[in-house]
Amino acid sequence: MNDPIQLNFIQSKFRIASSLLIFAPIKTKFMSQKPVRVRFAPSPTGPLHMGGVRTALYNYLFAKKHNGTFVIRIEDTDQTRFVEGAQDYIMDAMKWCKMMPTEGPGLGGDFGPYVQSERKEMYRPYAEQLIENGKGYYAFDTAEDLTAVREQAKQMGMPNWQYNSVTRGSMKNSISLPQDEVQRRLEAGDPYVIRMKMPRNEDIRLEDEIRGWVVVNTNNLDDKVLFKSDGMPTYHLANIVDDHLMEISHVIRGEEWLPSAPLHVMLYEAFGWEAPKFAHLPLLLKPDGNGKLSKRDGDRLGFPVFPTNWTTAEGDVFSGYRENGYFSGAFVNMLAFLGWNPGTTQEIFPMDELVEAFTLDRVSKSGAKFDPDKTKWFQQQYLRAENNTVLAEILQKEIEGDYPIERLAEVCRLMKERATFVKDIWTEGSFLLERPTEYDAKTTRKKWKGEAENYITEFKTILSETEDYSAENIEKVFKDYLASKEIGIGQVLPQFRLVLTGKGMGPSMFEITSFLGKEETIARIEIGVEALRKNEE
Ligand code: GLU
């Protein structure tokens, strides 16, 4: 019951009134006096997918931008799909992304409770109000009745039977049954649901902040169940009642809810309430092809689709961005660009700049393709921009060995241009603090020959007589040596790197030498030369 109305349905039945778009005022829309209150309303049916995080983010940005309030409401009316731990997961993920709501479960606020199952008793009077004003009706059909009528319709070539203004007359409800029978059933406690009484052939119009005017004819809408026989409202009723009671000004949510929006507009009208503004965000598309991004794409192409790790009741772990080493700032920056752009070439936006730049009129209508490589690029940019001591503190927790934080910070400074994640700094740069035990075979084969050992030994003597170990001076000393011997850089530098680091590539050798200092440099050259000589024999 908590599912959106099928998207293919809306695609075939909706007319997006694009010609009316030009009349939609854009900039002035949010100047209204009503305070901005937006909500993120996840159902605790599992971990939050990237798309859900993006919805939360746009709500957060919109609220902050307009000095409004960001609410989180847990929509758990469908108890059959409830997943233990999902709510905690969602809250934790939002915290990691640094986009905490100010009202919600455990956060306080004047409009609580913020979990729908805790509001259970509130909904029935609203459902009954719809019956009283003729907008809703009781339906007594059992699950078996419904299966039978669907089956029958299928056999007659109508696979998509709907409970609607045409078919309701032949079903068991308070419209089709005599008044006294309805009364008798209610008094006898027969199970019933309350359905929306969709009018026939009316155009419902709604102006979506992103898509412009959307028009749907009620003949294409069914009589949705609003209140279930278990005494719980369905998503549609609870969502509208809560958005109204929580004084939500803008509903910003995924495109999959657009087909439900006309029903929601009708419900607001039925209650005589002012509807909030709607903004339906574009779908997230898989990196290859055009389909919707799914968990399976993540497994298939090797990237996380969840913000943080999620462990199922069976113990299966789905990996998250946090545990994969992404910084939340990079993840959030990347997500912000999935469906929005600032209209400039700037790509790096810390949260406060996103708040500043974000507007709904720059959110696109078309689906946003997720790009794992671009995601890594954002991470690289954030890593490079991060303070070296901060990086060192993260690194210290991830490695064995007790190194002074200042030394680790230097390692980070030297290595971060070559890394995507903090862990790469160590994979690539642990040699800075640990002497090499192996020497790159390819470099050895290609470069450790001829005069190599002689040059390195000579250069070692010069280094042992050098006092100034700044990178600039080491560079000068090195270049002077090349000039005095009239030899090229390729005859000494790769060999020097090999003995000092064991590697064929890496950051500036002058920086490395300066970092190691005289004693360590000389010791490493001696050990390296010895080892390579043995290697040759
Ligand atoms: N509970 C719905 C969901 O899980 C919320 C839809 C809405 O924002 O109205 O996505």
Side-chain angles (χ1 to χ4, degrees):
M1 251 31 260
N2 209 10
D3 281 331
I5 299 167
Q6 283 306 300
L7 196 66
N8 52 7
F9 164 71
I10 188 166
Q11 278 163 348
S12 62
K13 302 283 166 58
F14 266 44
R15 283 174 285 131
I16 308 279
S18 52
S19 58
L20 291 172
L21 262 175
I22 44 170
F23 299 116
I26 291 187
K27 290 260 153 50
T28 52
K29 243 174 239 173
F30 304 116
M31 305 300 258
S32 77
Q33 291 309 303
K34 229 172 136 187
V36 165
R37 289 180 54 81
V38 293
R39 86 306 193 268
F40 175 50
S43 298
T45 53
L48 206 50
H49 177 276
M50 270 164 64
V53 187
R54 193 219 28 199
T55 300
L57 172 65
Y58 285 12
N59 274 284
Y60 174 86
L61 296 175
F62 188 79
K64 290 279 167 233
K65 168 111 188 182
H66 297 279
N67 291 321
T69 307
F70 177 36
V71 178
I72 181 162
R73 181 176 71 227
I74 302 295
E75 300 206 320
D76 59 347
T77 52
D78 188 352
Q79 294 288 324
T80 59
R81 293 177 62 207
F82 179 83
V83 172
E84 197 64 51
Q87 184 177 327
D88 288 344
Y89 175 94
I90 292 166
M91 297 306 279
D92 180 54
M94 309 237 323
K95 201 168 179 183
W96 180 62
C97 293
K98 301 189 181 70
M99 48 194 204
M100 275 308 271
T102 40
E103 286 179 28
L107 302 171
D110 295 337
F111 298 82
Y114 293 91
V115 178
Q116 286 184 329
S117 58
E118 293 169 22
R119 302 169 67 81
K120 193 177 166 196
E121 305 312 321
M122 286 186 203
Y123 304 107
R124 184 185 289 275
Y126 291 101
E128 281 166 359
Q129 189 182 328
L130 292 176
I131 300 224
E132 274 155 36
N133 64 19
K135 308 285 186 186
Y137 61 89
Y138 296 112
F140 301 99
D141 319 87
T142 61
E144 293 75 40
D145 292 340
L146 291 169
T147 311
V149 71
R150 280 202 184 97
E151 206 40 57
Q152 208 180 3
K154 207 185 271 171
Q155 277 166 17
M156 288 163 71
M158 292 178 292
N160 300 318
W161 182 88
Q162 287 193 322
Y163 207 121
N164 59 22
S165 55
V166 175
T167 60
R168 73 168 80 103
S170 52
M171 302 302 290
K172 290 183 202 133
N173 54 57
S174 57
I175 298 174
S176 65
L177 297 173
Q179 194 58 44
D180 54 348
E181 182 175 347
V182 172
Q183 209 49 45
R184 189 189 54 71
R185 280 176 177 264
L186 290 176
E187 276 160 22
D190 276 12
Y192 64 80
V193 299
I194 296 177
R195 286 182 180 269
M196 179 79 180
K197 186 179 173 193
M198 257 315 149
R200 258 205 90 59
N201 201 21
E202 260 181 37
D203 273 348
I204 310 294
R205 302 172 159 272
L206 74 108
E207 191 191 1
D208 186 88
E209 300 296 317
I210 294 165
R211 278 142 216 282
W213 285 96
V214 176
V215 186
V216 67
N217 189 281
T218 52
N219 286 356
N220 297 317
L221 300 175
D222 62 343
D223 289 356
K224 276 268 169 290
V225 174
L226 300 175
F227 198 78
K228 296 179 282 184
S229 50
D230 64 1
M232 285 288 262
T234 59
Y235 153 74
H236 301 290
L237 179 70
N239 186 271
I240 267 54
V241 168
D242 286 348
D243 279 349
H244 172 71
L245 295 178
M246 294 181 182
E247 296 177 12
I248 296 304
S249 61
H250 298 77
V251 167
I252 304 171
R253 62 184 173 191
E255 180 180 289
E256 64 273 29
W257 300 101
L258 181 61
S260 304
L263 168 67
H264 296 175
V265 168
M266 295 205 63
L267 278 168
Y268 282 105
E269 274 172 21
F271 285 120
W273 297 335
E274 190 191 341
K277 301 219 192 295
F278 291 99
H280 288 92
L281 308 175
L283 288 178
L284 294 195
L285 305 177
K286 54 176 91 236
D288 51 346
N290 282 324
K292 210 172 138 177
L293 179 71
S294 76
K295 190 169 73 57
R296 281 180 302 282
D297 298 317
D299 299 341
R300 190 169 56 86
L301 299 168
F303 60 84
V305 293
F306 299 115
T308 60
N309 271 13
W310 166 256
T311 310
T312 64
E314 293 75 39
D316 296 331
V317 179
F318 293 102
S319 82
Y321 281 88
R322 178 173 65 190
E323 291 77 3
N324 272 263
Y326 284 86
F327 290 163
S328 66
F331 174 62
V332 163
N333 197 153
M334 175 281 290
L335 272 186
F337 272 75
L338 284 182
W340 169 85
N341 73 78
T344 64
T345 51
Q346 185 181 343
E347 290 188 283
I348 300 301
F349 281 84
M351 193 66 106
D352 55 340
E353 290 184 39
L354 277 178
V355 168
E356 192 60 34
F358 185 78
T359 55
L360 280 179
D361 62 353
R362 297 212 64 89
V363 174
S364 68
K365 287 194 261 295
S366 48
K369 220 184 241 303
F370 170 67
D371 180 349
D373 293 334
K374 189 76 190 186
T375 307
K376 282 208 172 123
W377 178 85
F378 274 112
Q379 168 60 23
Q380 267 165 0
Q381 304 309 307
Y382 273 77
L383 185 87
R384 283 173 200 182
E386 190 51 276
N387 174 285
N388 296 321
T389 308
V390 172
L391 292 177
E393 278 158 5
I394 304 171
L395 186 58
Q396 199 169 43
K397 291 190 198 108
E398 290 186 6
I399 59 175
E400 285 169 20
D402 195 12
Y403 301 104
I405 201 79
E406 305 75 40
R407 292 297 275 168
L408 282 178
E410 274 299 286
V411 172
C412 293
R413 181 178 73 80
L414 291 172
M415 298 309 301
K416 68 182 178 183
E417 292 290 324
R418 301 169 168 270
T420 301
F421 303 106
V422 173
K423 68 173 188 323
D424 303 339
I425 292 178
W426 195 244
T427 321
E428 296 296 318
S430 60
F431 72 83
L432 288 162
L433 293 170
E434 292 168 352
R435 284 181 183 171
T437 50
E438 284 169 18
Y439 296 85
D440 182 67
K442 195 167 151 212
T443 316
T444 307
R445 203 170 54 244
K446 285 191 164 173
K447 305 283 178 184
W448 197 258
K449 56 188 180 194
E451 290 296 301
E453 186 180 327
N454 290 342
Y455 291 150
I456 291 300
T457 310
E458 244 176 35
F459 186 50
K460 185 191 80 176
T461 310
I462 297 172
L463 285 174
S464 65
E465 287 157 6
T466 303
E467 289 312 320
D468 178 359
Y469 260 64
S470 66
E472 301 73 40
N473 192 51
I474 299 295
E475 181 168 4
K476 184 180 169 300
V477 167
F478 178 78
K479 287 187 174 155
D480 288 350
Y481 173 66
L482 292 189
S484 72
K485 301 292 287 186
E486 295 184 353
I487 49 176
I489 199 162
Q491 285 171 278
V492 194
L493 199 69
Q495 296 76 359
F496 185 40
R497 184 182 298 283
L498 189 65
V499 289
L500 233 59
T501 72
K503 292 176 186 285
M505 279 187 310
S508 151
M509 277 314 294
F510 313 123
E511 292 270 15
I512 293 175
T513 311
S514 170
F515 172 84
L516 294 176
K518 188 164 168 172
E519 202 181 318
E520 180 67 8
T521 300
I522 303 299
R524 285 194 186 196
I525 297 176
E526 284 168 359
I527 295 166
V529 167
E530 190 67 19
L532 290 165
R533 191 182 300 143
K534 276 209 186 106
N535 213 2
E536 264 183 345
E537 283 161 6

